[in-house]
Amino acid sequence: MKYHTFGEHTGASVLCFMPGKTPIPTHVVNGQAYCFRTVLVDPPRMGLDEATVRHVRRYRNILYISCSPDALQRNLKELSTTHKVACAVLFDHFPKTPHLETAVHLTARDTWQDPA
C-alpha cells in the first residue's frame, strides 16, 4: 500500500491509503504496524471500480460516501455478498437541486474473515 500523510504542518495525522497488492489491510507507518478494520471511500460519480470493490471487501467496516444513486446501488449490490447496510443517511448539501449525498455504513456479514 502506498500512503500519503496530510496535515503535518497543523499537527494532524491523517493518512490516505491507496489500493495496492498487500494481501491484508496491514500497514507500516514510521516503523509501527497497523491493522485497519475500517475504510472510508468517497468515489467519483461512476462509483467504485471492480478492483477497489475487491479491496474494500477486506475491511470489517466500510464507510461509503456517494453522490450517485446509480453507482451506489451497483456497488452495494456487489458488496452485499460480504457486507450488509448498518445505516444510511442522506445529506442535502445543494438545496434546491436534485443532488444528494448519501453516507452508508456497511458491516461485515458473519462469513467475513478477519485477515489479521
Side-chain angles (χ1 to χ4, degrees):
M1 290 268 167
K2 295 179 181 177
Y3 71 92
H4 305 281
T5 304
F6 300 99
E8 292 168 359
H9 61 284
T10 63
S13 58
V14 177
L15 300 177
C16 175
F17 290 89
M18 305 308 220
K21 296 187 178 183
T22 305
I24 59 173
T26 301
H27 313 283
V28 177
V29 179
N30 295 332
Q32 180 151 353
Y34 296 90
C35 182
F36 297 100
R37 289 180 175 77
T38 302
V39 64
L40 169 69
V41 292
D42 186 357
R45 191 165 294 282
M46 68 180 184
L48 300 175
D49 62 21
E50 194 174 307
T52 306
V53 168
R54 280 194 312 271
H55 178 77
V56 300
R57 277 188 174 138
R58 298 183 304 182
Y59 294 85
R60 177 172 292 284
N61 295 288
I62 302 168
L63 305 175
Y64 191 122
I65 309 298
S66 176
C67 63
S68 170
D70 294 333
L72 176 62
Q73 180 182 13
R74 184 182 66 252
N75 286 153
L76 289 179
K77 184 176 179 181
E78 294 167 335
L79 292 166
S80 68
T81 59
T82 55
H83 290 74
K84 59 187 173 191
V85 174
C87 66
V89 180
L90 294 175
F91 295 95
D92 187 4
H93 290 300
F94 309 102
K96 300 181 183 178
T97 72
H99 301 288
L100 293 173
E101 291 284 320
T102 307
V104 181
H105 175 204
L106 296 112
T107 57
R109 294 187 177 277
D110 293 337
T111 57
W112 183 84
Q113 302 265 328
D114 190 339

